[in-house]
Amino acid sequence: MKKKFPVFSLLTLTVIVILCFACGPIMTKDPLYMDLAHCNETPGKEFLFGTDTMGRDIFSMIWYGGRISLTIGFLATLLSTALAVFVGSVSGCAPARADGILMRLTELILSVPSLLLTIFLQAVFGRANVYSLSVVIGLTGWMSMAKVVRTEVLQLKNTDYVLAAKCLGGGFFHVLFCHLAPNFFPSVLFMAIMNVRNAIVVESTLSFMGLGLPVETVSWGSMLSLSENALLSRSWWIIMVPGVFLVGTLLCLTNLGNYMRGSTNRRHSNLGCKKMIKKI
């Protein structure tokens, strides 16, 4: 049964992204200003989503912090996708011995718990910031996608147009970007979308554990890191508001990723049926 396109998820995600990256006009307060006279204020007219334990306006922090979390998600996914495409393509086009070595190394890295590897790399980089955290998450999220890219390249590298491009003197990167990538891109698109989701989850998890962004750097994860103080002071809005935005964004990304995966599976199924018909 064909899945319907998740229009609501796309619209919701689009609105969140636009408001996060163009939040200047809608922010009612400075998200970094600590108004100690209004700590733990309940949601009201002046503070629409209330204030946190340091007196910062949560409404402004949501949009400002969402920009940080989404930036980490996009940058980490860009890096992990580039690594996956390069390693998977090299492995798929390499001789059997080199292919085996690359895949064994990939599987070895994949066998290490990703959170443990992320913490180790972040310790090597030192104090966390947006860019170092993006690099660390990107370096630990490319392995599964690389295996998918390799499988697709193995199926495509002996096709007539790829062989013709090589005979005409096309180099590795020319063949990759002009002939291979356009054909396997739909297969890895849903994985790239899910990588954005995973990167946001990892950033939130590290910040919640006190190993990610510092509290003074506003993100959805660093906002949730104040949950212990919020529970002790019964300030439910400090946890609920960023939690709702984080979960809503992750659900939208998951729905889009599942739709992309279903579309890719149908495409491969249709190609398989066409090949069987030709054989018959």
Side-chain angles (χ1 to χ4, degrees):
M1 182 177 179
K2 186 177 180 180
K3 290 185 178 181
K4 292 183 179 180
F5 184 79
V7 178
F8 179 76
S9 295
L10 179 62
L11 289 176
T12 303
L13 184 62
T14 302
V15 170
I16 291 175
V17 171
I18 291 175
L19 290 179
C20 286
F21 283 93
C23 59
I26 65 171
M27 288 195 303
T28 55
K29 305 281 185 179
D30 182 356
L32 303 178
Y33 178 67
M34 299 180 186
D35 189 354
L36 299 180
H38 296 90
C39 296
N40 294 328
E41 286 277 346
T42 58
K45 291 183 179 180
E46 184 177 1
F47 302 101
L48 298 178
F49 290 163
T51 62
D52 67 358
T53 55
M54 292 180 280
R56 297 177 298 181
D57 179 40
I58 294 179
F59 179 80
S60 301
M61 291 173 67
I62 281 293
W63 307 116
Y64 185 84
R67 180 195 301 174
I68 301 296
S69 295
L70 290 171
T71 297
I72 292 174
F74 291 141
L75 290 179
T77 299
L78 186 64
L79 176 59
S80 62
T81 302
L83 284 172
V85 169
F86 179 75
V87 174
S89 300
V90 169
S91 182
C93 294
R97 191 179 186 85
D99 177 28
I101 294 173
L102 277 174
M103 282 299 100
R104 296 301 80 76
L105 288 174
T106 301
E107 290 166 1
L108 179 63
I109 300 172
L110 192 60
S111 66
V112 180
S114 59
L115 185 59
L116 180 62
L117 188 59
T118 303
I119 293 173
F120 172 75
L121 288 177
Q122 186 55 61
V124 172
F125 275 83
R127 184 177 173 84
N129 57 56
V130 173
Y131 299 106
S132 68
L133 206 54
S134 300
V135 171
V136 166
I137 296 173
L139 290 175
T140 57
W142 58 270
M143 292 78 72
S144 297
M145 190 186 297
K147 293 174 71 67
V148 173
V149 171
R150 171 185 173 270
T151 302
E152 294 289 331
V153 170
L154 288 174
Q155 295 176 353
L156 294 168
K157 70 176 184 178
N158 292 323
T159 54
D160 294 338
Y161 56 89
V162 173
L163 294 175
K166 291 180 179 178
C167 291
L168 292 172
F172 171 75
F173 288 103
H174 171 78
V175 174
L176 172 61
F177 291 114
C178 295
H179 300 287
L180 294 176
N183 288 282
F184 67 65
F185 181 72
S187 299
V188 300
L189 181 59
F190 83 92
M191 296 191 73
I193 293 175
M194 300 306 282
N195 273 7
V196 176
R197 186 201 69 169
N198 294 338
I200 295 174
V201 170
V202 171
E203 181 273 322
S204 301
T205 303
L206 291 176
S207 296
F208 180 78
M209 295 170 61
L211 301 172
L213 296 173
V215 176
E216 61 269 16
T217 303
V218 179
S219 72
W220 289 341
S222 65
M223 292 174 70
L224 289 173
S225 68
L226 300 173
S227 59
E228 183 179 352
N229 293 332
L231 289 174
L232 291 175
S233 61
R234 297 184 179 181
S235 304
W236 53 267
W237 57 91
I238 299 177
I239 305 173
M240 193 186 78
V241 175
V244 166
F245 276 85
L246 178 61
V247 172
T249 301
L250 298 182
L251 285 176
C252 291
L253 289 169
T254 302
N255 288 338
L256 289 171
N258 288 336
Y259 176 80
M260 294 295 180
R261 179 171 56 186
S263 300
T264 301
N265 291 339
R266 286 196 301 273
R267 182 176 67 86
H268 283 297
S269 178
N270 292 336
L271 287 175
C273 291
K274 290 179 181 178
K275 289 179 180 179
M276 289 296 295
I277 292 172
K278 287 181 179 180
K279 289 180 180 180
I280 296 173

